[in-house]
Amino acid sequence: MKSGGVQLGFKTSIIALFVAIVLVIGLTLVYLSFQRIAAVTETAASQFIGKVAELSADRIGSQLKLVRDNLEILNALPPIQSADIDDNPRLVALLAAMLKNNNQLFNLYVAYDDGSFIEMDAIDGAGRETRARLEAPEQAAFRMVVISRSDPAQAKSRRLFLSDRLETIRELPGPLDYDPRERPWYKDGARRDGSWLTGPYVFFATGKQGYTVQSALKQGRSGVSAGDLLLDVTQEVLKKENLTASGVAFLFDDDDRILAHPRMSEMLGREVSGTIPRLRETDMSGVLKAIRGWRENGIAEQFFYDPRGRLYAAAFQTIPKSGPANLRVAVVAPVDEFFASILSERRRLFAVTLGFVALMVPIVFLIGSLLSRSLRALAGETDRIQRFEPSAAPPVRSLIREIDELGRSVSTMRTVTETFSHFVPRRLVEKLIETGTPLQLGGTRREVTLLFSDVVNFTEITEKADPTQVMKYTSRYFAAMSHEIMIHAGTVDKFIGDAIMAIWNAPADDPDHAANACVAALALQRANDRLNAEFEQEGWPAYRTRMGLHTGEAVVGNIGSEDRMNYTALGATVNLAARLEGLNKHYGTSILISSALRERVGPQFCLRSVDRITPKGFAEAFDIYELRDETASAGVDELRFCSEWETVYVALRNGPPAVAETELALFLARYPLDGVARYHRSICDEAAALSRYRAQDLEATRLGSGSG
């Protein structure tokens, strides 16, 4: 039970539905008379063809939608928005992944308002004529065309043929006379009038006919992204709709042009032609009457007679998502082919029906099991994607085309999501996926806890080292630190040189953000120690990390421009957290926190007072503390250390100077290397020296007055 209703398993539903349909239809046909059988069969044929037309329309519409979704993903990429198309391996890899996971797409391309252009074609399965036309080597899996016109005086164009691993096999000069802005798809997209399907027309690269799905870039540079669907692909989809021996499914438009047909190549002739046949010019002219009836009364299922007097059933559907292209699908089949076998075998139909049901139940049970297993695997994979759990599992495959396509789509979604999360904080991506909130500029004021970390003397450690080694070890350091931040509910905002900025309670709500940040800081310290042990064994200098943490209100959100934005926090809270990190070097500490954070976490952590400061730009003074350990896991020695220091600190703040200096001296005798105590010792020494200087100056003044 869920949401107050009974839910059946997919396997049970398939078996029950199959048995019910076969028994109801089969037994009804047996007990009806010949005339009734004919009438029911005509109705069933019409309904069946209508369902086939609906499914065909949905399938082709799904192809168009899938291409449109890929274009939306492409439009959202920063390299596309900024026209960073030349020598961009990541963009090339993403285009190749999209083409591999969308077999109906022949290519993807983007054109800009200055005439610049990038195109990637999937030519692995292209025929010999197409490959010869493109001058493609046999081992080439992709063709890429890049035209750069950012500098009109130095326009560049080249063609690259890439292997399946995206290795360059051959490079040739590209067409400088090709201007994408003159192509039909660019003009349609640039008008921004809601039209996003162009065609059919002859493609420039292949000479074949097809449609172009296009979308104007909404952010960044002005331009249009697009992808081509060859008519060959749509024809193959239509060929698979096996209705009857003479049944056929085809595409047409409001001008009664046949746009796709299982025998389209015969209609067009062996040579490519720009002329698209019309229904009245073919042997299918009889269907025009049924089409007019559909347009007049809106009933999708129609009957008509061909010139020879044969009765046909027809069904028509509008292709969803085809926009102004007005694509329609027609399914046509002779009615007598649906019930001819029933007429000849009606005496044995009852026994055959029951036997068929009994025979098919195990098969349907097996098919239902296989389908439900695939669907459960897809559901589990989407759940793992939403939770950002790693998975090396291959895409879910199935003999059912829709499930197989869904498996490839889920695999593409994983690739795109993982790629997106490398450029945007992972918790922000998780929240966007969970809520469906668009990524846009703007911010909100909320309480957050911020952490700033920095590597001590990083410049001195790395300035004379091999840059490759610096990048290798620093990347390992960042990976270890980022891992600890994320598993403790934090978000890595950015890396600033060797420094890290992390946020808690944004973008995801975290009521325990203050405590989680403190636990994360201690975990970072332990991870840093483990990493330094590995560095020492490998002969690399240790990275000693200092951190500052503060809790307070900040403006959190996306700042930047429409084509390049950054999720971050702004305000005095951020500045103070960064200041605390820098103050560690004065006190010889590793982790400093503010009094505001101390008030939030209470006795959960082992803290000790460090100083009372008034940072530049802040009106009020406040106390700062050193984070030492979690109270529950702190040892007896650590707790005694903090307790003894608090006694000294109270004397330093409130007691007579002589008592304070005595307490401080006793503490340093026990802990001679403690940085905080040594800092306060230096302050006391400076104060004593200043006092002696003032006393000497006063005595000199008094003696001078007496001698006068």
Side-chain angles (χ1 to χ4, degrees):
M1 297 288 290
K2 188 176 182 180
S3 300
V6 177
Q7 291 188 322
L8 299 177
F10 183 79
K11 180 168 56 179
T12 304
S13 302
I14 286 289
I15 296 173
L17 183 63
F18 172 79
V19 173
I21 290 176
V22 173
L23 285 177
V24 171
I25 295 179
L27 295 177
T28 301
L29 290 175
V30 170
Y31 284 103
L32 289 175
S33 65
F34 170 77
Q35 294 297 330
R36 183 61 178 166
I37 290 175
V40 169
T41 305
E42 286 184 8
T43 303
S46 177
Q47 293 176 346
F48 175 68
I49 288 179
K51 191 63 176 178
V52 171
E54 181 180 347
L55 292 175
S56 299
D58 289 342
R59 191 174 295 117
I60 296 172
S62 296
Q63 285 186 334
L64 296 175
K65 183 180 183 302
L66 188 58
V67 175
R68 185 70 187 275
D69 291 344
N70 276 272
L71 292 182
E72 293 298 326
I73 293 172
L74 197 62
N75 289 354
L77 296 177
I80 293 298
Q81 297 174 0
S82 61
D84 184 15
I85 59 176
D86 202 7
D87 295 327
N88 193 329
R90 287 189 177 182
L91 178 59
V92 172
L94 184 58
L95 291 174
M98 286 182 172
L99 291 175
K100 285 182 179 179
N101 287 285
N102 294 277
N103 292 336
Q104 71 272 24
L105 265 176
F106 174 70
N107 57 13
L108 287 167
Y109 45 94
V110 185
Y112 297 92
D113 54 3
D114 63 355
S116 296
F117 178 72
I118 182 172
E119 173 182 352
M120 175 167 275
D121 306 330
I123 60 174
D124 194 29
R128 290 185 175 274
E129 293 182 3
T130 300
R131 296 180 75 92
R133 182 184 181 95
L134 298 176
E135 303 180 73
E138 290 187 6
Q139 62 273 35
F142 300 98
R143 183 188 80 130
M144 190 169 71
V145 178
V146 180
I147 302 175
S148 177
R149 291 193 175 98
S150 56
D151 184 357
Q154 296 181 353
K156 297 181 293 184
S157 178
R158 56 183 181 142
R159 291 176 293 159
L160 300 173
F161 295 93
L162 311 176
S163 68
D164 190 57
R165 296 182 178 182
L166 304 183
E167 299 168 340
T168 301
I169 299 173
R170 176 187 295 175
E171 180 172 347
L172 297 174
L176 286 172
D177 58 341
Y178 177 76
D179 190 343
R181 296 168 295 185
E182 299 300 320
R183 299 300 292 168
W185 55 268
Y186 187 93
K187 294 178 179 178
D188 288 351
R191 283 198 298 269
R192 298 177 182 265
D193 58 358
S195 170
W196 55 269
L197 190 65
T198 302
Y201 66 103
V202 177
F203 295 147
F204 181 86
T206 63
K208 294 187 176 182
Q209 289 180 326
Y211 286 94
T212 295
V213 180
Q214 38 76 14
S215 175
L217 299 181
K218 300 177 181 62
Q219 298 180 2
R221 290 279 301 276
S222 177
V224 177
S225 63
D228 288 340
L229 290 169
L230 295 176
L231 279 180
D232 297 349
V233 177
T234 306
Q235 289 167 207
E236 290 301 318
V237 173
L238 297 175
K239 286 180 181 178
K240 295 177 182 177
E241 304 295 355
N242 296 320
L243 302 170
T244 65
S246 305
V248 66
F250 61 92
L251 289 183
F252 67 100
D253 63 10
D254 287 346
D255 294 328
D256 296 331
R257 297 183 301 172
I258 300 177
L259 305 178
H261 191 283
R263 302 190 306 275
M264 193 70 172
S265 57
E266 300 175 17
M267 296 180 179
L268 294 173
R270 297 189 64 181
E271 300 297 328
V272 175
S273 171
T275 303
I276 296 178
R278 297 180 182 271
L279 282 167
R280 63 175 177 271
E281 300 169 355
T282 68
D283 57 359
M284 301 180 63
S285 57
V287 78
L288 283 172
K289 182 178 179 181
I291 292 175
R292 284 195 291 270
W294 170 51
R295 289 171 177 164
E296 290 173 0
N297 57 37
I299 300 175
E301 292 81 22
Q302 299 281 333
F303 291 93
F304 70 95
Y305 289 93
D306 71 356
R308 295 186 296 272
R310 193 177 188 185
L311 180 63
Y312 280 75
F316 310 99
Q317 287 287 336
T318 299
I319 301 295
K321 307 296 182 181
S322 64
N326 296 320
L327 298 184
R328 322 289 189 212
V329 63
V331 180
V332 179
V335 174
D336 56 7
E337 291 184 354
F338 283 91
F339 60 89
S341 60
I342 297 176
L343 294 176
S344 62
E345 298 291 339
R346 65 180 181 270
R347 292 179 180 178
R348 296 187 299 166
L349 187 57
F350 178 72
V352 170
T353 301
L354 292 180
F356 178 74
V357 171
L359 178 64
M360 290 301 295
V361 164
I363 299 176
V364 173
F365 181 86
L366 177 61
I367 294 174
S369 299
L370 295 175
L371 291 178
S372 62
R373 184 171 61 187
S374 298
L375 292 174
R376 283 195 300 269
L378 285 171
E381 181 68 6
T382 54
D383 287 341
R384 285 190 293 273
I385 291 173
Q386 187 168 359
R387 293 192 301 267
F388 282 83
E389 294 179 357
S391 174
V396 176
R397 305 306 301 269
S398 173
L399 295 176
I400 306 301
R401 185 187 304 110
E402 287 78 4
I403 296 179
D404 193 63
E405 291 176 353
L406 181 59
R408 290 197 298 269
S409 298
V410 170
S411 179
T412 301
M413 182 172 66
R414 169 173 286 282
T415 301
V416 173
T417 303
E418 289 178 350
T419 302
F420 190 42
S421 66
H422 287 308
F423 295 93
V424 178
R426 176 164 292 189
R427 293 201 174 274
L428 178 59
V429 180
E430 290 175 346
K431 186 175 182 181
L432 293 175
I433 293 175
E434 178 183 350
T435 63
T437 304
L439 190 62
Q440 58 188 4
L441 293 174
T444 58
R445 183 174 294 278
R446 64 189 300 170
E447 185 182 63
V448 294
T449 299
L450 292 119
L451 178 147
F452 278 85
S453 76
D454 193 25
V455 176
V456 179
N457 297 327
F458 180 80
T459 302
E460 296 179 10
I461 294 173
T462 60
E463 64 180 352
K464 295 183 180 179
D466 178 21
T468 302
Q469 295 295 98
V470 172
M471 294 298 292
K472 171 186 172 183
Y473 284 99
T474 305
S475 296
R476 284 175 58 185
Y477 168 80
F478 280 143
M481 299 297 104
S482 300
H483 174 73
E484 296 297 335
I485 290 171
M486 287 188 290
I487 65 174
H488 290 92
T491 299
V492 176
D493 179 273
K494 61 174 67 70
F495 300 115
I496 313 168
D498 59 307
I500 301 173
M501 175 181 172
I503 308 175
W504 278 261
N505 201 35
D509 293 332
D510 180 9
D512 297 324
H513 58 91
N516 286 335
C518 291
V519 173
L522 294 170
L524 288 175
Q525 203 171 49
R526 293 190 293 270
N528 194 193
D529 292 339
R530 293 192 298 269
L531 197 62
N532 284 338
E534 296 175 10
F535 286 0
E536 183 179 1
Q537 292 179 356
E538 298 170 18
W540 188 256
Y543 286 180
R544 190 165 68 86
T545 305
R546 295 186 299 219
M547 289 167 271
L549 293 90
H550 177 49
T551 289
E553 280 199 345
V555 176
V556 182
N558 296 302
I559 64 169
S561 62
E562 290 293 336
D563 63 336
R564 187 178 297 275
M565 61 182 67
N566 179 37
Y567 185 84
T568 190
L570 300 173
T573 299
V574 182
N575 298 335
L576 182 54
R579 296 277 182 84
L580 289 177
E581 182 279 318
L583 288 175
N584 279 288
K585 62 184 177 182
H586 297 299
Y587 302 107
T589 52
S590 296
I591 308 175
L592 286 179
I593 70 170
S594 65
S595 55
L597 182 53
R598 178 183 179 274
E599 291 173 2
R600 289 295 303 270
V601 299
Q604 185 177 347
F605 295 92
C606 184
L607 307 170
R608 70 155 169 169
S609 302
V610 173
D611 202 355
R612 185 170 183 81
I613 63 170
T614 306
K616 183 178 180 181
F618 291 83
E620 297 181 359
F622 56 87
D623 295 318
I624 59 175
Y625 301 85
E626 181 185 14
L627 175 61
R628 304 277 299 182
D629 202 348
E630 293 186 66
T631 303
S633 59
V636 176
D637 292 340
E638 180 65 32
L639 295 174
R640 183 169 56 249
F641 172 85
C642 291
S643 176
E644 291 177 2
W645 171 254
E646 289 304 317
T647 301
V648 176
Y649 188 77
V650 170
L652 288 170
R653 285 293 169 206
N654 305 318
V659 175
E661 291 183 10
T662 301
E663 292 287 347
L664 183 58
L666 291 173
F667 185 86
L668 279 170
R670 291 189 296 272
Y671 308 102
L673 299 180
D674 182 61
V676 176
R678 295 173 68 176
Y679 170 81
H680 284 285
R681 176 74 270 175
S682 66
I683 296 300
C684 289
D685 291 343
E686 290 177 5
L690 181 60
S691 178
R692 288 194 300 270
Y693 173 77
R694 289 177 175 173
Q696 291 172 0
D697 187 56
L698 182 61
E699 179 65 20
T701 302
R702 185 182 64 78
L703 293 174
S705 300
S707 62

